[in-house]
Amino acid sequence: MAQCVQSVQELIPDSFVPCVAALCSDEAERLTRLNHLSFSELLKPFSRLTSEVHMRDPNNQLHIIKNLKIAVSNIVTQPPQPGAIGKLLNDVVSGSQPAEGLVANVITAGDYDLNISATTPWFESYRETFLQSMPASDHEFLNHYLACMLVASSGEAEPMEQFSKLSQEQHRIQHNNDYSYPKWFIPNTLKYYVLLHDVTSGDEQRAESIYEEMKQKYGTQGCYLLKINSRAPNRASDEQIPDPWSQYLQKNSIQNQESYEDGPCTMTSSKNSDSNLLSLDGLDNEVKVDGLPNNFRIHPLQIDQCGDPPNNTDGSESKSASSVHETKKASTAVIRGACLTLTDHDRIRQFIQEFTFRGLLPHIEKTIRQLNDQLISRKGLSRSLFSATKKWFSGSKVPEKSINELKNTSGLLYPPEAPELQIRKMADLCFLVQHYDLAYSCYHTAKKDFLNDQAMLYAAGALEMAAVSAFLQPGAPRPYPAHYMDTAIQTYRDICKNMVLAERCVLLSAEILKSQSKYSEAAALLIRLTSEDSDLRSALLLEQAAHCFINMKSPMVRKYAFHMILAGHRFSKAGQKKHALRCYCQAMQVYKGKGWSLAEDHINFTIGRQSYTLRQLDNAVSAFRHILINESKQSAAQQGAFLREYLYVYKNVNQLSPDGPLPQLPLPYINSSATRVFFGHDRRPADGEKQAATHISLDQEYDSESSQQWRELEEHVVAVANKGVIPSSFYPTQYCLNSYSDNSRFPLAVVEEPITVEVAFRNPLKVPLLLSDLSLLWKFQPKDASGKDIEKVKERVSYCRYHDAPDFRCYHSVHLRYKPKV
């Protein structure tokens, strides 16, 4: 695989982070919208802790968490549609192209010197978006909500009453059977109360008073006063403040297509009808119920039902590229955080740390202990899973059945209170807080239980995360159990028919194998998941497999090129024309000039077509030209198709620049060594007349025997004129110039007599060429005795009409019509 910005030890913890929901009142949302941000977006750049965190495991041992990151998002009650996710992924790949002027790495392998891009940012963007957009499922708890932030404004008439309404609303969403989405980790979700205060327009004394009341009711560790908007909107342009949101929200702007407007939002409510939808500054549609924001109705990845659904989830690059471009243009005009100062940034960062230190992590630690105690009491154990004996994990092993022997029970569901799910919950919680030792033990135990019950979806999930946990264990880690991942992938794909989860396994396992320099195994894994259901996914995985082959200790250059061709083909089917062209150009470095003419013709033909589609006409002409100038082994029908494409492209080039230079057609070949020039014949056509040159030969005009007689007669005359001696400067007149004559001297031509030029052509193709209206472009520039130019005469006269034989000749007559100035 190509080099990545993040190492796999950074990628995996960033891909699986504690999830926190956010539920805001109307007034609180209005305060954040003054900065063209929602509340969850406001927190995004500050969601990573800058210091280490400590917590205790069930065995009361101190555990250190480094670089912990949390994910805060608004509550939505509808899962994302697969078609919308596919379009988002397609847009992300389209919007990520190689940087112009980027110097590629030069890899030398045998006789090859290849310029290869070291990084593939489009793949990294795809992988990040794919992992973040995975919907929550019932067989795992990694992206279930652990806590919920309830946010109200200090400008509310009754903030405490508003908090009560928000709390009731969250409880209704979690425990009402009408809502199957989102997913919550445990029934007793942590609720964290946030009072949002506008420094510019709010009453600070009132805010402090409300905050004191909150601390008495919810406790000092369950609430927070967050002060923002320390400068007025009309003063936003006076001082340049860094924008930390751009790098985080650029991809989300493609996803949400959000456009904010300056000033406060106008909000209305509807108590009786869910069909009255309200749009806040172009944001997701919302419904207000009893004054509460219901901005969780529609998922950001929900497709507009009024529009035409995409036929192909991979999408079309032309549409997606234009949408990305328009979104970027809109986002560049919006100034995010206009009302925030650097002090506000520090306050938000401090708020995240306080919430994590005092709220989230104690809640997670308490939940892990409770789960551990429940498992001990239910299984009749005398000690925690953390200190379980080897009998659990390594002793008295029972032979496990193979995947093919197990029944198809992927639809089996456990009740929420099932001990097997409690083990899985505990494993996921430990994994989220980087306690990989305990997580591995729990996953290993859960895996056995799920396999015994033949609950294959649950078993595959436990196998997947057990393998990742084993790899991430600190100290002397266990050997990476790649067979766990292989079994999980096979189960997801063949038994559960869930390609999304299988793809997640492949992405994670391939990165782990790459980090261990096991490029061959990584390539085989990537290739195994290519299928016909997604051209975009297959293209990206094939490209990464190609990079695996070229990064091996002994680079496999031809396998690299072959898989780049396959990737280019799938990119083209997915509508990613630019990426397809790039892949074919990369592969061309390997095939060019190696004697693989059929492969080279195919690559050049595809490069020509893709270049023409992208309006890169010069590149298209060059690619098609290479097909025609080389000795091709293609069939006559294929050569005819190449020629038609080439002429069609040239026609479009000439239409765009009609005053440009004439095209240099590579067909037919001109045999320059067979060119002959004949002087002295008096037969010529009338002005403007053209005569077909078919079946005409210069040998009919020029008689070599008579020419020799005239040569001898000329020498005799010169000898007589010079008293029997031929001067050394004498040079006999030549009537026919060819490759065998002495062409070092200027020939002698007579005014008003024609000069006939014979040009020999050769057709290298197996298809006939129709040539018509050929003309010889010539230029004559006479000089006087002093060597100065006298007059320029340019004319073209042709005797050639057409010919379709493999070898033929054209005859052009040139007439000199001038009289030298004396």
Side-chain angles (χ1 to χ4, degrees):
M1 299 175 70
Q3 298 177 8
C4 298
V5 176
Q6 283 185 312
S7 67
V8 66
Q9 286 81 6
E10 298 170 334
L11 169 68
I12 296 177
D14 279 0
S15 302
F16 300 96
V17 298
C19 295
V20 178
L23 189 58
C24 304
S25 67
D26 294 345
E27 182 63 19
E29 198 68 32
R30 184 190 71 82
L31 294 182
T32 60
R33 296 287 169 79
L34 294 175
N35 297 284
H36 305 289
L37 296 164
S38 67
F39 180 76
S40 60
E41 291 171 343
L42 181 72
L43 306 182
K44 195 172 290 290
F46 313 100
S47 60
R48 185 185 298 277
L49 300 186
T50 56
S51 59
E52 293 182 351
V53 187
H54 299 83
M55 62 174 290
R56 294 193 177 274
D57 58 33
N59 216 30
N60 208 31
Q61 296 296 318
L62 190 65
H63 172 63
I64 300 176
I65 308 172
K66 299 179 179 179
N67 297 319
L68 179 64
K69 177 183 175 183
I70 64 173
V72 181
S73 59
N74 294 330
I75 296 179
V76 289
T77 57
Q78 295 181 2
Q81 294 183 355
I85 295 177
K87 184 180 183 303
L88 170 63
L89 295 173
N90 191 74
D91 291 347
V92 166
V93 175
S94 298
S96 180
Q97 299 290 338
E100 295 183 4
L102 183 66
V103 179
N105 285 2
V106 178
I107 296 180
T108 302
D111 298 335
Y112 300 96
D113 290 324
L114 307 178
N115 292 322
I116 298 176
S117 176
T119 60
T120 50
W122 47 91
F123 172 73
E124 295 182 47
S125 299
Y126 171 89
R127 183 183 59 196
E128 178 184 356
T129 306
F130 171 81
L131 294 174
Q132 290 180 355
S133 62
M134 289 193 66
S137 57
D138 292 322
H139 79 286
E140 63 182 17
F141 305 90
L142 291 164
N143 50 359
H144 290 201
Y145 284 136
L146 279 163
C148 182
M149 293 181 180
L150 305 177
V151 187
S153 169
S154 61
E156 308 266 3
E158 295 291 340
M160 300 302 294
E161 181 180 347
Q162 191 67 45
F163 279 127
S164 298
K165 291 181 179 180
L166 291 171
S167 179
Q168 294 170 10
E169 186 69 11
Q170 187 277 331
H171 186 274
R172 183 177 68 87
I173 295 171
Q174 180 175 355
H175 298 285
N176 194 326
N177 293 330
D178 295 338
Y179 296 100
S180 60
Y181 198 89
K183 305 291 184 180
W184 302 87
F185 207 99
I186 58 175
N188 186 21
T189 300
L190 170 67
K191 295 178 182 179
Y192 197 80
Y193 299 85
V194 181
L195 183 64
L196 209 59
H197 176 63
D198 190 304
V199 176
T200 303
S201 59
D203 185 346
E204 187 167 354
Q205 185 175 358
R206 181 173 184 268
E208 292 290 348
S209 174
I210 297 172
Y211 181 51
E212 289 298 326
E213 187 178 352
M214 291 172 59
K215 288 192 289 185
Q216 294 178 6
K217 183 175 182 180
Y218 305 120
T220 56
Q221 297 185 351
C223 58
Y224 194 86
L225 172 62
L226 177 59
K227 300 179 181 179
I228 62 171
N229 299 345
S230 294
R231 59 176 179 171
N234 55 2
R235 295 182 59 249
S237 59
D238 297 345
E239 182 183 358
Q240 292 295 329
I241 300 294
D243 179 10
W245 294 274
S246 305
Q247 56 181 323
Y248 296 95
L249 301 184
Q250 192 165 10
K251 298 169 191 169
N252 292 342
S253 64
I254 299 173
Q255 167 184 334
N256 297 325
Q257 301 292 319
E258 295 179 346
S259 58
Y260 300 94
E261 298 176 3
D262 290 327
C265 309
T266 303
M267 306 187 195
T268 61
S269 63
S270 173
K271 298 183 179 180
N272 301 322
S273 175
D274 285 350
S275 61
N276 296 332
L277 300 181
L278 170 69
S279 177
L280 291 179
D281 294 341
L283 287 171
D284 302 329
N285 291 333
E286 302 181 356
V287 179
K288 303 298 177 295
V289 181
D290 297 331
L292 287 175
N294 206 358
N295 53 352
F296 43 80
R297 286 285 177 182
I298 298 178
H299 195 279
L301 292 182
Q302 196 78 1
I303 292 181
D304 184 6
Q305 298 298 331
C306 300
D308 295 327
N311 295 327
N312 183 1
T313 57
D314 289 333
S316 170
E317 185 190 37
S318 58
K319 293 182 180 180
S320 60
S322 62
S323 66
V324 171
H325 177 68
E326 293 297 328
T327 304
K328 286 183 178 179
K329 283 178 60 180
S331 62
T332 53
V334 172
I335 302 176
R336 300 186 181 91
C339 301
L340 301 175
T341 63
L342 293 178
T343 302
D344 291 330
H345 292 189
D346 293 336
R347 288 170 178 162
I348 299 172
R349 189 178 292 107
Q350 182 65 28
F351 160 65
I352 292 293
Q353 293 198 2
E354 287 291 320
F355 164 74
T356 307
F357 290 166
R358 297 192 176 187
L360 183 61
L361 287 179
H363 174 69
I364 292 176
E365 182 177 336
K366 177 183 176 183
T367 304
I368 291 176
R369 290 182 179 275
Q370 289 176 348
L371 290 171
N372 185 67
D373 294 340
Q374 291 177 15
L375 294 174
I376 291 175
S377 61
R378 290 187 181 185
K379 288 185 175 290
L381 302 179
S382 59
R383 50 182 172 262
S384 67
L385 287 173
F386 182 72
S387 58
T389 61
K390 293 182 179 180
K391 180 179 178 181
W392 272 52
F393 307 119
S394 59
S396 303
K397 291 187 177 179
V398 178
E400 297 179 359
K401 298 180 181 180
S402 68
I403 273 297
N404 298 324
E405 295 175 336
L406 294 170
K407 298 179 182 179
N408 184 1
T409 55
S410 58
L412 175 64
L413 293 177
Y414 288 97
E417 65 278 359
E420 293 83 0
L421 288 190
Q422 306 309 312
I423 298 176
R424 176 64 201 243
K425 280 185 179 181
M426 183 172 172
D428 287 344
L429 266 183
C430 294
F431 188 88
L432 291 175
V433 294
Q434 304 173 15
H435 201 319
Y436 301 117
D437 293 325
L438 184 53
Y440 174 78
S441 298
C442 294
Y443 284 128
H444 195 278
T445 303
K447 179 259 300 184
K448 289 184 176 181
D449 292 339
F450 293 140
L451 286 176
N452 289 335
D453 295 339
Q454 296 189 18
M456 299 314 299
L457 179 62
Y458 294 87
L463 284 167
E464 174 190 5
M465 299 312 298
V468 176
S469 300
F471 171 75
L472 292 175
Q473 283 182 12
R478 301 171 184 265
Y480 172 59
H483 60 287
Y484 278 15
M485 275 294 195
D486 294 339
T487 305
I489 294 169
Q490 184 180 356
T491 305
Y492 282 142
R493 184 187 60 188
D494 300 335
I495 297 180
C496 305
K497 308 298 181 184
N498 193 322
M499 292 299 294
V500 174
L501 293 174
E503 182 178 356
R504 184 180 71 180
C505 279
V506 168
L507 293 176
L508 297 178
S509 186
E511 283 295 331
I512 293 172
L513 292 171
K514 183 192 77 171
S515 68
Q516 298 176 340
S517 299
K518 297 179 180 179
Y519 291 104
S520 179
E521 293 86 344
L525 191 65
L526 293 163
I527 295 170
R528 198 198 319 173
L529 202 67
T530 58
S531 60
E532 294 300 322
D533 64 315
S534 174
D535 291 311
L536 181 62
R537 181 188 69 230
S538 299
L540 291 165
L541 296 184
L542 285 168
E543 183 183 14
Q544 293 304 307
H547 280 279
C548 287
F549 289 123
I550 203 65
N551 285 320
M552 289 181 179
K553 189 174 182 180
S554 298
M556 305 178 74
V557 180
R558 284 176 289 183
K559 276 198 172 184
Y560 161 79
F562 178 70
H563 285 85
M564 287 298 283
I565 295 256
L566 296 179
H569 174 66
R570 300 305 291 270
F571 271 129
S572 181
K573 289 180 66 178
Q576 300 283 347
K577 304 299 182 184
K578 290 183 180 180
H579 287 297
L581 177 60
R582 174 184 51 77
C583 288
Y584 276 100
C585 291
Q586 291 281 336
M588 190 61 181
Q589 300 177 86
V590 176
Y591 289 99
K592 187 174 183 180
K594 300 299 181 181
W596 298 329
S597 60
L598 294 179
E600 197 170 343
D601 288 348
H602 168 74
I603 297 173
N604 274 317
F605 179 73
T606 308
I607 290 176
R609 274 198 165 180
Q610 299 289 1
S611 299
Y612 177 77
T613 303
L614 296 171
R615 309 309 296 169
Q616 300 176 10
L617 299 182
D618 292 339
N619 292 339
V621 169
S622 176
F624 282 120
R625 184 173 182 270
H626 278 88
I627 303 177
L628 301 176
I629 63 175
N630 295 326
E631 292 291 341
S632 177
K633 296 180 181 179
Q634 301 283 358
S635 64
Q638 191 63 54
Q639 288 182 354
F642 289 162
L643 182 60
R644 286 192 298 271
E645 291 272 355
Y646 178 71
L647 295 177
Y648 178 77
V649 172
Y650 243 130
K651 179 181 177 181
N652 284 271
V653 173
N654 290 336
Q655 288 177 350
L656 292 177
S657 55
D659 299 330
L662 292 175
Q664 298 179 359
L665 295 175
L667 295 173
Y669 289 178
I670 297 178
N671 189 358
S672 58
S673 62
T675 303
R676 295 190 290 181
V677 182
F678 177 68
F679 302 89
H681 199 277
D682 57 356
R683 183 182 65 80
R684 59 184 174 86
D687 291 345
E689 178 188 355
K690 292 186 178 181
Q691 177 181 343
T694 308
H695 306 303
I696 297 178
S697 172
L698 193 58
D699 296 333
Q700 301 171 359
E701 314 286 335
Y702 173 70
D703 187 353
S704 57
E705 293 184 2
S706 62
S707 177
Q708 181 63 25
Q709 293 177 359
W710 281 106
R711 179 189 179 98
E712 294 174 357
L713 180 60
E714 184 180 11
E715 291 177 352
H716 183 67
V717 170
V718 171
V720 171
N722 289 279
K723 299 178 181 181
V725 179
I726 298 178
S728 59
S729 60
F730 170 73
Y731 183 74
T733 303
Q734 294 188 91
Y735 292 96
C736 183
L737 302 179
N738 53 39
S739 59
Y740 303 103
S741 61
D742 184 5
N743 302 321
S744 60
R745 299 174 180 270
F746 290 108
L748 179 63
V750 180
V751 176
E752 297 295 335
E753 288 191 1
I755 300 174
T756 303
V757 180
E758 180 188 58
V759 182
F761 296 100
R762 184 174 68 86
N763 180 13
L765 302 182
K766 300 175 184 178
V767 294
L769 297 176
L770 177 63
L771 306 178
S772 60
D773 298 327
L774 291 184
S775 298
L776 177 68
L777 297 180
W778 59 274
K779 179 179 179 182
F780 181 74
Q781 187 171 334
K783 296 182 180 181
D784 58 12
S786 63
K788 296 182 179 180
D789 295 346
I790 299 177
E791 185 180 2
K792 293 183 180 179
V793 181
K794 186 174 183 180
E795 193 172 328
R796 40 181 205 176
V797 180
S798 176
Y799 288 123
C800 182
R801 182 62 183 170
Y802 68 88
H803 205 287
D804 60 3
D807 297 286
F808 56 95
R809 290 172 170 79
C810 257
Y811 301 89
H812 301 268
S813 178
V814 179
H815 307 281
L816 304 182
R817 297 179 183 144
Y818 78 99
K819 292 183 179 180
K821 296 179 180 180
V822 180

